[in-house]
Amino acid sequence: MSNSTKASPVLKGGCLCGAVRYELMATPAMAGFCYCESCRKLSGSGHAFHAMVPEDTLKITGDSRGFDWKADSGNTVTTSFCPTCGSPLFGKSSGMPGMVTVRAASLDDPSAVSPQMAVYTKRLLNWDHLDPTLPAFPEMPPMPSER
Ligand SMILES: [Zn+2]
Ligand SMILES: [Zn+2]
């Protein structure tokens, strides 16, 4: 990517206390809800809203802390959060090199991103809601084949 022009961020966001701020220099490639047990634990809610962006389009200021865990797929996922207020912010998977997920609800304008799918819907809780208009996958959708 060229640095000859000063690009302005498409979206901005940050944690609750403001110690960690970020800017997205591109519109998320994909966004969706995940109902898996890990996202439940990490969000303290029925599901998490992830927006996926190329890593080089995410600019972070402030220090976040990472926690590594194993996903069902066998991939190692690193979830990063603000060490001061605990807000979960970013995720990286060993299965998706070069991509990072941003917790879309941490955006300053979360309504700027729309979910395109729901995954791990087999874990849907009886008190949570599943949007019937979204493509839903019981687990992870099949990955696009390598090009
Ligand atoms: Zn914070
Ligand atoms: Zn999940």
Side-chain angles (χ1 to χ4, degrees):
M1 213 182 275
S2 162
N3 287 325
S4 55
T5 54
K6 199 174 174 188
S8 49
V10 177
L11 294 165
K12 296 180 185 184
C15 66
L16 176 61
C17 76
V20 183
R21 296 285 304 165
Y22 63 84
E23 295 180 340
L24 302 185
M25 309 310 285
T27 312
M30 205 196 352
F33 295 139
C34 183
Y35 291 80
C36 83
E37 286 164 306
S38 304
C39 286
R40 264 155 44 190
K41 288 279 189 190
L42 283 163
S43 68
S45 184
H47 59 275
F49 185 12
H50 300 285
M52 187 170 283
V53 297
E55 199 170 8
D56 59 4
T57 65
L58 172 65
K59 299 202 185 329
I60 303 170
T61 50
D63 290 327
S64 57
R65 203 150 96 206
F67 164 70
D68 291 348
W69 52 279
K70 270 267 189 276
D72 283 1
S73 56
N75 292 325
T76 299
V77 178
T78 305
T79 295
S80 299
F81 55 93
C82 171
T84 302
C85 69
S87 303
L89 294 166
F90 316 113
K92 270 189 69 64
S93 169
S94 59
M96 297 281 278
M99 300 299 282
V100 57
T101 56
V102 173
R103 297 298 177 115
S106 68
L107 289 164
D108 294 341
D109 179 13
S111 60
V113 178
S114 300
Q116 294 154 358
M117 63 166 73
V119 303
Y120 273 98
T121 55
K122 69 175 187 183
R123 301 285 188 215
L124 178 72
L125 293 173
N126 56 353
W127 46 257
D128 204 359
H129 175 73
L130 185 60
D131 182 344
T133 66
L134 286 180
F137 300 89
E139 297 185 355
M140 284 299 282
M143 284 296 147
S145 53
E146 53 274 75
R147 282 172 291 183

